[in-house]
């Protein structure tokens, strides 16, 4: 049996196009946006009604959130569904969460979302930098 390539681009061009797409996707990060931590700090003030970096409040503290398992902050009363979700707060998961927490974990206590991809990227950049 003979297998023939039906590519309309020369082999070198196809490889170049695929490599360019792969590099662009890897560089883009969550939601295709690069975050600005300084702008994220300003946006985070909107989160401060429920969260702070160092203390639990209406929501859990965010110190160490990037890389942490969801539902694991001592002293905070999480919903059972979030506590048992198995989610780890990677940049990608934080982006999904901020897009719509109820879609990610329907019985979560969090109801606030951040519809703008750049705003989410900026908040995540702030949390990565300042909430270590």
């Amino acid at each position: 049996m003979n297998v023939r390539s039906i590519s309309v681009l020369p082999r070198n061009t196809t490889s170049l196009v695929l490599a360019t797409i792969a590099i662009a996707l890897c560089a883009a990060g969550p939601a295709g946006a690069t975050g600005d931590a300084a702008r994220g700090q300003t946006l985070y003030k909107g989160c401060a009604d429920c969260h702070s970096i160092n203390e639990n409040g209406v929501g859990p503290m965010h110190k160490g959130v990037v890389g942490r398992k969801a539902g694991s902050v001592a002293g905070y009363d999480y919903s059972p569904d979030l506590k048992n979700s198995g989610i780890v707060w990677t940049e990608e998961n934080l982006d999904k969460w901020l897009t719509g927490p109820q879609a990610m974990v329907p019985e979560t206590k969090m109801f606030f979302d951040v519809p703008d991809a750049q705003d989410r990227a900026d908040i995540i950049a702030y949390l990565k930098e300042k909430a270590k």
Side-chain angles (χ1 to χ4, degrees):
M1 177 175 177
N2 291 330
V3 178
R4 296 176 190 235
S5 172
I6 58 171
S7 174
V8 292
L9 296 173
R11 174 169 245 142
N12 292 347
T13 305
T14 302
S15 297
L16 180 61
V17 169
L18 291 174
T20 302
I21 291 169
I23 289 168
L25 289 173
C26 290
T34 301
D36 175 349
R39 184 170 180 272
Q41 183 172 11
T42 300
L43 293 169
Y44 187 81
K45 291 176 184 173
C47 306
D49 288 343
C50 298
H51 296 279
S52 81
I53 298 297
N54 295 308
E55 298 176 5
N56 292 331
V58 173
M61 70 175 166
H62 282 151
K63 185 164 190 75
V65 68
V66 179
R68 181 172 70 212
K69 184 179 176 192
S72 64
V73 171
Y76 185 77
D77 184 29
Y78 290 94
S79 68
D81 285 358
L82 185 60
K83 194 169 189 171
N84 297 317
S85 69
I87 295 169
V88 173
W89 294 126
T90 62
E91 291 177 61
E92 293 78 16
N93 280 337
L94 285 167
D95 184 65
K96 288 179 196 175
W97 179 257
L98 292 172
T99 299
Q102 298 284 326
M104 201 167 171
V105 179
E107 296 299 320
T108 186
K109 294 178 181 181
M110 185 160 154
F111 56 88
F112 186 81
D113 61 26
V114 181
D116 184 79
Q118 187 62 58
D119 290 350
R120 291 191 309 271
D122 293 345
I123 291 167
I124 293 165
Y126 169 71
L127 291 172
K128 279 180 59 181
E129 185 177 303
K130 301 295 184 185
K132 293 178 185 176

